[in-house]
Amino acid sequence: MAMIIPKSLKKGDTVALISASGATPEHRIERAIQAVEKLGFHVVVGETCRARHGYFGGSDELRAKELNDMFRNPEIDGIFCIRGGYGATRILPMLDLEMIKENPKVFAGYSDVTALHIVFNQQCGFVTYHTPMPSTEFIRPEMDEYTWEYFINSVTNTGWSDYFLENAKDQIMNTVVPGTATGKLAGGNLTLVAASLGTPFEIDLKGKILFLEDIDENVQRIDRMLTQLSLSGKLQQLSGILLGGWTDCGPMDLNNAENNLSLDTVFEEILVPLNIPILKDVTCGHVLPTMSLPLGKTVTIDATNKSIRVVGQFDV
């Protein structure tokens, strides 16, 4: 399927801040708004940014309606998810995907937002952006120039192609399995990718390059989710794999080394037998610095020489 590239954002454009997932801590909201305004955008703050229904940013109905409304509204040029958390999967059946398909816009976020990236890439056919978010990374004191540059270039130059996704300085990608591969970039958070299986919104990985990252999952749970993807046949359909940050993804049992496997061992036992190019330690995920990724665009990975290139949209 030819992918639609959303119109680039420019200074003065109107960006909606929404939460399709978790409730946003009150003390972060104004700082998040100011951070986006500082980039030169006019900000419309969705009700979900201040709403709360337990751990959600408002009810499922509110979060779905607001996301639909922001895509439908011609005065909204782009949509930034203010945070992740949990909840995006619950609103998927309530989204007007035909309408969203007719109104592609810059859509940015990551983590729980992976559920929406999968659906918008596959069922609506447009490129989305795996990026840091306003109430989390944007307002952290350690937010860095590398991360800002990748984010700004991604959302203000959506036609950007024939460039390399390069790690932050002094952070080195490492080869797991050598070789080269080309395919559309897909994925995001491993937990959300695995959770899509068996649903109408299941991820399609045929011929694709899969990016994966996660946070606060012990190695046993990562093993379980990768095994699920393998048993489903999804991993066997891939052209290549990129492994990003695994933040606080440590041993299951800190007090008994015999009960633990390393992440590298899990990757070696589950992913290496696929015999496809695999790069790890990509600077992306629940980490800073972090790059922004154009999900749905075609990339070429050279795991031997440790490079990732976003290629021209020859498939459009």
Side-chain angles (χ1 to χ4, degrees):
M1 179 177 65
M3 297 297 290
I4 297 166
I5 300 176
K7 183 180 178 182
S8 297
L9 296 176
K10 62 184 184 302
K11 287 188 177 182
D13 278 351
T14 298
V15 168
L17 295 187
I18 60 103
S19 178
S21 305
T24 308
E26 181 65 33
H27 68 279
R28 295 184 182 181
I29 297 172
E30 288 305 318
R31 294 167 61 204
I33 295 168
Q34 291 169 12
V36 178
E37 289 177 337
K38 191 174 180 180
L39 298 176
F41 301 125
H42 173 66
V43 177
V44 169
V45 183
E47 184 180 347
T48 56
C49 294
R50 293 190 170 92
R52 179 179 289 273
H53 173 62
Y55 36 75
F56 299 121
S59 67
D60 293 346
E61 291 77 13
L62 174 64
R63 287 179 288 116
K65 180 180 184 302
E66 184 169 89
L67 189 53
N68 283 329
D69 288 346
M70 294 304 185
F71 272 104
R72 186 180 291 110
N73 187 343
E75 296 183 1
I76 300 296
D77 301 299
I79 301 168
F80 295 171
C81 293
I82 195 169
R83 64 155 300 179
Y86 167 65
T89 51
R90 286 182 49 155
I91 71 171
L92 295 180
M94 304 177 192
L95 297 179
D96 186 345
L97 296 179
E98 284 302 314
M99 178 277 297
I100 292 172
K101 183 177 181 178
E102 296 300 317
N103 295 278
K105 299 176 182 183
V106 166
F107 178 80
Y110 81 111
S111 194
D112 193 64
V113 181
T114 297
L116 296 167
H117 287 308
I118 293 170
V119 172
F120 295 159
N121 288 168
Q122 292 179 190
Q123 299 194 31
C124 300
F126 62 89
V127 173
T128 59
Y129 299 90
H130 183 289
T131 72
M133 295 180 288
S135 77
T136 52
E137 290 79 14
F138 281 22
I139 62 174
R140 286 173 59 179
E142 60 268 42
M143 182 67 170
D144 58 283
E145 191 61 33
Y146 167 94
T147 303
W148 277 125
E149 183 176 347
Y150 261 96
F151 174 80
I152 294 167
N153 281 338
S154 292
V155 301
T156 65
N157 189 6
T158 56
W160 193 21
S161 61
D162 291 314
Y163 68 95
F164 287 90
L165 293 168
E166 297 178 332
N167 267 11
K169 186 178 180 181
D170 299 326
Q171 297 190 22
I172 300 171
M173 296 181 194
N174 288 291
T175 302
V176 179
V177 179
T180 60
T182 298
K184 285 188 172 68
L185 185 60
N189 184 266
L190 171 60
T191 299
L192 275 297
V193 169
S196 76
L197 300 183
T199 75
F201 310 100
E202 182 171 292
I203 193 167
D204 176 4
L205 294 178
K206 292 178 183 176
K208 294 182 180 178
I209 305 295
L210 176 63
F211 168 75
L212 293 174
E213 62 84 33
D214 220 317
I215 185 171
D216 291 334
E217 298 287 351
N218 69 45
V219 174
Q220 184 187 71
R221 292 198 292 263
I222 292 170
D223 185 323
R224 181 188 297 121
M225 289 185 282
L226 289 175
T227 299
Q228 182 183 12
L229 286 169
S230 179
L231 293 175
S232 73
K234 292 292 181 180
L235 297 183
Q236 292 78 2
Q237 299 172 353
L238 291 168
S239 293
I241 298 174
L242 301 174
L243 299 171
W246 302 92
T247 304
D248 297 327
C249 293
M252 179 184 68
D253 187 348
L254 293 173
N255 299 315
N256 190 341
E258 291 183 356
N259 284 348
N260 296 319
L261 290 178
S262 70
L263 262 180
D264 282 342
T265 298
V266 171
F267 295 153
E268 180 178 344
E269 293 180 353
I270 299 175
L271 302 182
V272 169
L274 298 170
N275 197 31
I276 57 176
I278 303 174
L279 271 174
K280 69 174 184 175
D281 302 320
V282 177
T283 302
C284 190
H286 290 78
V287 296
L288 279 177
T290 189
M291 68 174 71
S292 293
L293 302 176
L295 296 172
K297 280 196 176 182
T298 300
V299 301
T300 292
I301 66 171
D302 183 339
T304 306
N305 295 302
K306 306 174 186 177
S307 71
I308 310 165
R309 185 169 68 97
V310 179
V311 302
Q313 291 297 110
F314 54 79
D315 53 340
V316 173

